[in-house]
Amino acid sequence: MKTIATINFKGGVGKTTATWSLGYVASLDPEVNTLIFDLDAQMSLTQAIALNEDGSPIKSFSDWYDRAIGKHKTIFNALDEFTKPATNFNFGINHDFIYKISERYHFIPSVEDLYWTELELFDRDKVKYFIQRLLEKIQNSTSVPKYDYVLFDCPPSFSLLSYSVLSCCDLVLIPINPDFFAAKGLDLLLSSLQMRIEPFPVPRIGVFMNRAKKPGGSSIKRYSNETQRYLDDARDVLNRVSREKDLKVKLFDSAIFDKVGMKRAIQEGMPTDFQKQFQGLWTETRTFLSEK
Ligand SMILES: Nc1ncnc2c1ncn2[C@@H]1O[C@H](COP(=O)(O)OP(=O)(O)OP(=O)(O)O)[C@@H](O)[C@H]1O
Ligand SMILES: [Mg+2]
C-alpha cells in the first residue's frame, strides 16, 4: 500500500481535482485497487461525488451516506473512537464505512463534524497516530480489498488530520498554479512541513504545475513564457530545499493544462485530453514512489 497526501496551504490550486483524477486513472488499471479520503471539512470532494451537475443529490450515494451516518460509520466516528481514553480502537472496517465509486475505486467521505477536530475536544497528541492506525485496520480488514494506493485530499490549512496523514504518508503531492505566489508559497510550505512533521521523517515530495498555460500564436514551446518562468522559480526553490534540508523532492515533468471553461472537473466527467495528462502525471508519480 502506497499513500499520497495532496496538500497546499493555498486554496483553489487543484488539490481536490488532482486527488480525484489521479485516483480515477490509477483505478483504470484492472490490477489496482484505489481508495481516496476526503479529509477537508469543507467537503468539496464529497460534494463533487454526491451531487449532480444541477446540485441535486445522487441517490445511490446519499442513501449510502445517510446510512453511514446513522450507523456511526463516518471518519469522525472513527476518530472519536480512536481518541477515547483507555479503549482499544474498536471500529470495524467494511463498506458501511467505505463507499464504492466503482468496482476498484473506493472512497471515505468527509462529514461536517470534522470541523470540530480543530477544537480542544480531542487529545491532539493521539490524533497524530490516527491515520496510521486507521490504515492498519483497513489493511487488515477482510471486508474490503487490499488497496494498492490511498490518496488523501487535504484542506488548505495545516489541520490536525493533515498532520496525522503527513506524518505517515509515502508522498506529499503539491499542486502549484502559474502565479506569482507559487514559488513563495512552496518555500513556506516546505519549511513549515519539516518543522511540523518532526520527529517523524519527511515523506518524499512531488510538485506539479496545474492550470499550466500554452504559448500563444504559432510558438512550438510547451508552455507560455509566464508558466515557464513560474516553473523555473519552483525548480529553484526545490533544488535549494533538497540541498539545504536533505529532502527527496521532484518537480514532475507532467503538467496539467488549464482547461478553459471547466467549472467542475469531477462531475463533468473527465475529458480525454485531461485524462491523458493525469495519466502522464500518475506514471511519473508511481515511478517516483517506487524509486529507492
Ligand atoms: N487544470 C484545470 N483547468 C481548469 N479548471 C481547473 C483545473 N484544475 C482545477 N480547476 C478548477 O478550479 C477550481 C478549484 O479546484 P479544486 O477544488 O481542485 O482546488 P483545491 O485546491 O482543492 O481548493 P480548496 O483549497 O478550496 O480545497 C475547481 O472549480 C476546479 O474545477
Ligand atoms: Mg479542495
Side-chain angles (χ1 to χ4, degrees):
M1 178 192 274
K2 294 279 187 201
T3 50
I4 302 169
T6 313
I7 192 161
N8 194 328
F9 296 154
K10 202 162 174 293
V13 291
K15 297 179 286 296
T16 301
T17 306
T19 308
W20 186 84
S21 305
L22 289 174
Y24 175 78
V25 297
S27 63
L28 293 177
D29 181 336
E31 306 278 295
V32 168
N33 287 300
T34 308
L35 174 65
I36 55 172
F37 274 75
D38 184 359
L39 290 186
D40 190 351
Q42 289 184 83
M43 301 177 60
S44 318
L45 180 57
T46 301
Q47 285 179 14
I49 288 170
L51 302 179
N52 286 306
E53 200 53 34
D54 63 2
S56 62
I58 293 171
K59 195 163 177 330
S60 50
F61 180 81
S62 64
D63 287 352
W64 176 90
Y65 193 64
D66 290 346
R67 207 167 52 236
I69 290 172
K71 289 185 167 177
H72 302 288
K73 280 290 183 188
T74 71
I75 181 104
F76 182 83
N77 301 133
L79 177 66
D80 193 32
E81 186 60 39
F82 177 69
T83 49
K84 266 188 197 153
T87 56
N88 228 342
F89 194 22
N90 274 325
F91 190 83
I93 305 290
N94 56 29
H95 284 296
D96 289 334
F97 176 56
I98 300 180
Y99 178 73
K100 285 187 184 180
I101 300 172
S102 64
E103 202 41 43
R104 279 172 287 99
Y105 192 19
H106 296 181
F107 175 46
I108 296 179
S110 176
V111 275
E112 279 172 27
D113 296 333
L114 279 193
Y115 169 77
W116 301 106
T117 56
E118 293 318 302
L119 304 179
E120 300 299 321
L121 294 172
F122 292 98
D123 176 344
R124 299 177 80 88
D125 274 338
K126 210 168 171 188
V127 175
K128 287 179 196 167
Y129 297 91
F130 170 58
I131 294 290
Q132 197 183 335
R133 288 290 312 282
L134 184 65
L135 289 176
E136 283 164 17
K137 266 193 172 297
I138 291 174
Q139 257 179 317
N140 292 331
S141 166
T142 50
S143 307
V144 297
K146 300 285 169 237
Y147 295 106
D148 301 282
Y149 295 101
V150 182
L151 293 102
F152 297 90
D153 184 25
C154 297
S157 58
F158 209 98
S159 72
L160 266 185
L161 279 183
S162 40
Y163 184 99
S164 180
V165 173
L166 292 167
S167 55
C168 73
C169 67
D170 297 304
L171 172 70
V172 173
L173 183 67
I174 307 174
I176 55 170
N177 289 167
D179 61 39
F180 178 73
F181 303 102
K184 187 80 202 138
L186 193 56
D187 205 357
L188 281 173
L189 176 60
L190 292 175
S191 36
S192 61
L193 262 186
Q194 189 162 34
M195 227 166 57
R196 303 295 280 271
I197 294 177
E198 270 166 1
F200 301 101
V202 181
R204 52 191 70 190
I205 292 166
V207 177
F208 73 96
M209 180 63 81
N210 181 33
R211 310 196 80 146
K213 307 275 190 300
K214 297 224 152 92
S218 55
S219 168
I220 53 157
K221 287 184 184 155
R222 191 164 165 214
Y223 302 117
S224 72
N225 290 338
E226 210 186 29
T227 295
Q228 187 62 56
R229 191 170 72 242
Y230 292 127
L231 263 174
D232 294 342
D233 289 350
R235 183 171 287 111
D236 288 346
V237 170
L238 282 177
N239 285 342
R240 181 169 49 72
V241 168
S242 74
R243 242 187 357 255
E244 288 173 1
K245 299 187 190 286
D246 196 25
L247 299 179
K248 194 159 169 57
V249 300
K250 186 171 184 83
L251 179 63
F252 290 123
D253 192 40
S254 312
I256 308 300
F257 283 90
D258 192 38
K259 184 119 186 104
V260 180
M262 183 179 76
K263 289 191 221 75
R264 300 173 69 209
I266 297 173
Q267 269 301 327
E268 284 180 19
M270 210 189 287
T272 330
D273 54 339
F274 217 54
Q275 184 171 322
K276 260 205 191 123
Q277 293 165 26
F278 273 107
Q279 260 159 339
L281 181 61
W282 181 239
T283 305
E284 270 195 276
T285 305
R286 272 176 35 204
T287 309
F288 186 43
L289 271 170
S290 59
E291 275 171 18
K292 283 275 170 291

